[in-house]
Structures are given as structure tokens and as C-alpha cells.
Amino acid sequence: MKKILSMLLVLTLIFAVTGCGGKEDTSKDSSNTSNKEESADKEKKAKYAIIVKNTGNPYNEKEMEGFKKAIDEIGAEAILKAPDQPTAEAQIQMIEELIAQKVDCIAIAGNDPDALQPALQKAMNAGIKVLSLDSAVNSDSRMIHVNQADPERIGRVQVEAIAEMIDGAGQIAVLSATSQATNQNTWIEWMKKELEKSDYKDIELVKVAYGDDLRDKSVSEMEALLKSYPQLNGIIAPTTVGIAAAGKVITDKGLLGRIQLTGLGLPSEMAEYIESGVCQWMYLWNPIDVGYLAGYTAQALVTGQITGADGDKFTAGSLGEKSVITVGDGTEVMLGDPYKFDADNIAEWKEIY
Ligand code: RAM
């Protein structure tokens, strides 16, 4: 009996092994097709997350809108996140949540260049593709950065503007976002370099103030600047929250013509101040496009089309072909040039962003 049982067992095993082998051979082609289907399916089901600087800023909302538009076009799932405060701590908590959720990609507008590194490296070690947009994290914390425009141009053009508005002489101050924001800090560095030119020898930068991209804090920082520097002639606010707050304070205090204002503003928020002359002109780019470009950059990383290396190329939906270039010790993809908004074109743009 024992012999019969062990013979049966051997026969069963032989059958199982050959049966299995046969199945593998004949199913090769169909398994290839289903692999393709599976990866297309996986791409569709991929989860693409974006973390912007903070809530309550229409610029960040537009950025998320553009990101979602790209991810919708791809047919995947977009996860949109914004902390209440523009801090690294709040973003770290969100990164941890997204790692636990096993997302495929995290795109982040960093509230600090270095503080997010451990969390973002943890994400990359877990196979999540990481990119920054708008405000870069350091090159060890990401695979690529999506830059809105050339930082040197952004910085220099704002100094050129305020110098022209105050006729080349007087005191100016900068009303910025947070003291840790990579984008604003880089632009301010370029402003300072521009100010070294002899053309600006009669212009004094008296202070860089931080309104933290919070509306009320930006208003009170602007009021404090006026109090501390009664001779102040001009303000550069390289943040959409700051410039709108400064426009409001100048208007409310009846300082039109006495204090000049320029910087980076959303046409929808600044139209009234441009129309009144409080801000003669300012600059920006399309924040919807910044988010949209980040969405397609994310897809190119997730599908393995690019690795974030110099020379990589991909098609960013309706924005067309984009190339990855080395900047400093990391790589970037760039949206375009900053755009000038003034009384002649503001009516047209205020409806868009
Ligand atoms: C604010 C944010 C954002 C910046 C714009 C110009 O909305 O700080 O990061 O790019 O201003």
C-alpha cells in the first residue's frame, strides 16, 4: 500500500512539473500582451501626488490645478496636498503619509531646501519618484526640479523695474515670503548682485522682510517697513502674497505715487493695483503651466522615459518637447521667461490666473 502511494505521489509530481512547463511555453505570447496591458493599467492606476507650499494662496491653487490637468490627461490619479502653514515640518508629515500610501510620485514646492532631505530620500528609497517644482529642494532630495523661469532674470528684472520707477535713487525694501523659501532666496541673491552695478549707486536696500506668504503677516510686515523707514521709496515683493498685501497697504494709506511697488504678482489679485497705478508693472509666469509641466515630468519619471539626467527629453502634453539640463549640482526642466504685466495687458490676464 505504501509503495502504491509513493508511486502515485511521484507520478503526481512529474505531471505537475511537466504540466507547469507546458503551460509556460504555450502562454509566452499572451503573457507578453498581458504584461503590456498590466503596465498600461499600472500607469493608469499610478498615484501622482503634489505638495504645495501652503493653503490660502491662489498661486498654489493654480499650480495644483495645472498638475491635476496633466494627471487627468494621463488618466492617472492625482493627490493634491497643501499644509496650513508654509513650513518644512508640515510638509514632512505629508511626505510620510504619501510614503505609507505607496504613491508613485511626489512633486513638491519645498518650504526649505535641506530640511526635507531625510523624508524625500526615504521616499526615493521606497521607489517613489521625487521632483520639486517652483521652490527647489537640494539636489540630493530630488531627481529633477521644474523651474518656472531663469532665477537670474527673475531677480535682475525686478531691480531694473524698481530703479526705473524711483528714478534711480532712494531707499528700497524687499517684502518676501518665508526666510527659508529657496525660490525667493535665490531671486533675492540675484537682486543683490544686480544692485552692485554702478547704475544703482544711489539706491539703498534697507531691509528684507518676511511675510511668510500669509496675507495678514505680509500686511503687518509692510506696515512695519513703512514705520521703520519713513523715507522708503520702493518695495519689491517677489511673492504673489506679499505684492498683493503691499498693494493693499499702499492703497489704504493713500500712498499712491509716494511709494512704488513691483515684484511677482498674480494678475487676478493685482489688477486693481495695476489699474490704479499703485503698481505700474510686475512680472510672473503661468502658475497653471508650472503645475502642468510638473505633472508631465512626473509621468516621464514614473514610466521610465526619463531618469532626470542631463539631456533627457520628453513631451509635456500641450507644452511640447522639454529637455532636462544641468543647473548647479542638479538637473532642471524650465518653463519659460517671466512675463511683464502692466496697464495695457492686465485686463486680459486677470481672468486667467
Ligand atoms: C508665491 C509663492 C510662490 C512663488 C510666487 C511668485 O505665490 O511664494 O512660491 O513662486 O509667489
Side-chain angles (χ1 to χ4, degrees), residues 53 57 59 134 148 183-184 187 213 238-240 264 284-285:
K53 281 180 167 180
N57 177 358
Y59 177 96
D134 182 58
Q148 45 270 70
N183 53 347
Q184 272 89 14
W187 302 330
D213 269 353
T239 143
T240 57
L264 307 173
L284 200 70
W285 41 85

Side-chain angles (χ1 to χ4, degrees), residues 62-84:
K62 294 288 171 193
E63 217 168 49
M64 288 194 282
E65 182 186 319
F67 185 81
K68 185 165 185 326
K69 187 173 171 225
I71 303 305
D72 283 351
E73 283 175 12
I74 294 160
E77 182 186 342
I79 299 172
L80 315 176
K81 290 201 169 256
D84 288 343

